[in-house]
Amino acid sequence: MTAINFAVIGYGGMGSYHVHNIMPNENERIHVVGTYDVSGERQKISSQHNHKIYTSLEEVLLDETIEAVLIATPNDSHKELAIQALQAGKHVVCEKPVAMNVEELDAILKVAKETGQTFMVHQNRRWDPDFLITRELYKNQQIGDLFQIESRVQGANGIPGDWRHELKHGGGMLLDWGVHLLDQLLFLVDSRIEKVSADLSYILGDEVDDGFITYIIFENGVRAIIEVGTTNYTKLPRWYLKGTQGTAIIHDWDLSGEMVIESGKKDIQAPKPIQAGVGLTKTMAPPSEEATETVSLPQAFAEYDPFYKNFYNVVRNQAEPVVKNEEVRKVMVLIEEIFKAVKR
Ligand code: NAD
């Protein structure tokens, strides 16, 4: 097995996370030779890890020992960097969001096609354990047919960092977290989208959105609410999933949660009316005790290879990419639709 020699372009938060936390899991397949970052400070930190320090992009691209680059720079620089790297004969792993819009992505994909180099986007949240549980429920119907998917991430710390506050760098939460949640949704639901409505929030007063809500209706009847917030001092569950025979909650990335499912018992008593506020209701009363049972969430595993193992096999063995460029494109099209659907 000959490892793929990588140079990392952008050794910031995520670039260094790849180098120290993700790539080492595949150390037989992926070898980091060096890094290039426009920040001298980041270069200095990288040099402490015995990386070769490239002083320009050209130096990286002229290095014949480098087969692939990781692009982990702000979003507005992905297109140019990816095109230059592909034209220099390098394979490319690119951080999400792949680009600022569909037009930029198409320009990259055109060059990838012309050069025959591999171009793969790091949609890493396809491997998130909470997402894999949702996927298991969707595929194996432990709560019946899943007809409503609510997927949320909610923080209370505003938008982090610097460039994420600026439109010109592709800041804002729809491009940042939205691209993850929408990628998960489209990877899960294999159906055409019928309708999209959305609203972006600007509570923090930035020029970019600090959160959004979108409601998506698929042709197969599945409904999805996707929500990202950065001013949520207490939050809703990461996933709330409604099926025809039960409801599942996954509270957080710690995978706490449960499923309440129909017990299937016969001779179930009708729910009794309850006092609700100053009124009475039977509709909103809990189901009678024997009608439902509460069970643990199922375990779930990805039946596809981890990201870099897959990348290696795509490059060396013509394997199918787990993250396909046409899927990434569909997500970018949806993001553009959401921006269009919004009335500020
Ligand atoms: P960051 O600001 O921490 O790091 C970006 C680095 O790129 C900085 O060190 C900066 O000096 C450098 N840089 C900027 N322009 C450059 C250029 N032209 N050439 C070389 N270096 C350059 O940002 P970050 O949080 O690491 O985000 C980087 C990318 O990673 C973004 O696209 C972001 O969306 C993505 N990201 C992905 C995930 C994920 O879970 N997949 C998580 C965080 C960030």
Side-chain angles (χ1 to χ4, degrees):
M1 187 180 291
T2 321
I4 299 176
N5 278 339
F6 260 86
V8 173
I9 302 175
Y11 184 73
M14 197 55 188
S16 57
Y17 186 77
H18 275 263
V19 172
H20 301 292
N21 298 80
I22 315 177
M23 290 164 149
N25 298 332
E26 302 296 335
N27 60 12
E28 286 181 359
R29 297 180 176 85
I30 304 294
H31 174 62
V32 178
V33 175
T35 64
Y36 165 59
D37 197 296
V38 288
S39 149
E41 203 181 314
R42 295 305 302 168
Q43 295 280 67
K44 201 167 151 203
I45 295 169
S46 178
S47 70
Q48 289 156 9
H49 296 279
N50 295 327
H51 298 137
K52 178 170 177 177
I53 301 301
Y54 294 94
T55 53
S56 68
L57 178 66
E58 291 64 39
E59 198 188 344
V60 175
L61 301 185
L62 287 170
D63 185 341
E64 285 177 6
T65 68
I66 296 298
E67 271 184 89
V69 299
L70 162 69
I71 298 173
T73 54
N75 306 338
D76 57 318
S77 55
H78 293 180
K79 178 193 147 196
E80 280 309 317
L81 291 169
I83 288 178
Q84 287 190 56
L86 290 164
Q87 285 172 338
K90 312 297 181 195
H91 302 293
V92 173
V93 171
C94 184
E95 258 307 339
K96 52 51 59 176
V98 59
M100 303 280 277
N101 50 45
V102 178
E103 195 185 343
E104 284 199 0
L105 173 58
D106 284 347
I108 299 172
L109 295 183
K110 183 169 174 278
V111 179
K113 197 170 171 200
E114 283 163 7
T115 59
Q117 300 301 118
T118 296
F119 178 78
M120 223 166 116
V121 181
H122 189 235
Q123 290 297 163
N124 49 324
R125 293 193 177 277
R126 292 186 185 191
W127 286 264
D128 274 4
D130 54 286
F131 169 67
L132 294 172
I133 292 175
T134 299
R135 194 161 176 266
E136 166 68 23
L137 295 177
Y138 189 80
K139 287 172 95 175
N140 291 325
Q141 297 173 309
Q142 290 93 331
I143 55 170
D145 282 335
L146 247 175
F147 63 87
Q148 183 161 318
I149 298 166
E150 300 188 19
S151 167
R152 294 186 172 83
V153 291
Q154 300 185 319
N157 307 316
I159 301 174
D162 41 18
W163 60 265
R164 280 183 173 79
H165 294 262
E166 294 182 41
L167 270 175
K168 67 172 187 225
H169 292 303
M173 283 298 123
L174 180 53
L175 280 171
D176 193 35
W177 264 98
V179 74
H180 279 306
L181 304 195
L182 296 168
D183 179 70
Q184 290 179 331
L185 181 70
L186 297 198
F187 191 51
L188 188 69
V189 182
D190 185 16
S191 176
R192 271 171 52 88
I193 291 173
E194 205 172 82
K195 200 170 166 199
V196 177
S197 47
D199 191 26
L200 302 183
S201 67
Y202 294 86
I203 296 154
L204 301 170
D206 281 287
E207 62 181 11
V208 297
D209 67 286
D210 49 47
F212 68 91
I213 301 180
T214 182
Y215 185 62
I216 298 169
I217 300 177
F218 290 91
E219 268 180 10
N220 68 358
V222 172
R223 267 85 172 132
I225 297 172
I226 308 290
E227 182 172 1
V228 173
T230 50
T231 45
N232 297 71
Y233 293 91
T234 179
K235 48 190 186 177
L236 291 167
R238 170 71 187 85
W239 296 92
Y240 181 73
L241 305 163
K242 287 182 12 176
T244 48
Q245 283 146 35
T247 305
I249 286 192
I250 308 174
H251 290 292
D252 219 328
W253 290 292
D254 66 2
L255 309 187
S256 60
E258 62 192 21
M259 300 191 285
V260 178
I261 53 174
E262 281 179 0
S263 66
K265 285 184 188 147
K266 297 211 161 53
D267 304 327
I268 289 164
Q269 293 196 351
K272 295 189 177 58
I274 55 161
Q275 184 76 32
V278 294
L280 192 71
T281 179
K282 194 155 106 177
T283 324
M284 296 304 156
S288 59
E289 223 172 84
E290 65 278 12
T292 60
E293 52 185 334
T294 301
V295 296
S296 303
L297 294 164
Q299 288 202 314
F301 305 94
E303 76 276 13
Y304 34 93
D305 280 343
F307 183 85
Y308 277 109
K309 184 174 179 188
N310 177 240
F311 179 78
Y312 177 91
N313 283 325
V314 171
V315 170
R316 292 275 189 264
N317 306 318
Q318 287 79 50
E320 271 240 87
V322 174
V323 182
K324 296 180 182 49
N325 289 328
E326 57 269 28
E327 295 166 345
V328 170
R329 191 176 187 283
K330 274 189 191 158
V331 175
M332 285 308 296
V333 168
L334 177 54
I335 286 179
E336 284 196 357
E337 260 180 64
I338 291 174
F339 276 126
K340 272 188 225 148
V342 169
K343 287 192 180 69
R344 265 189 85 175

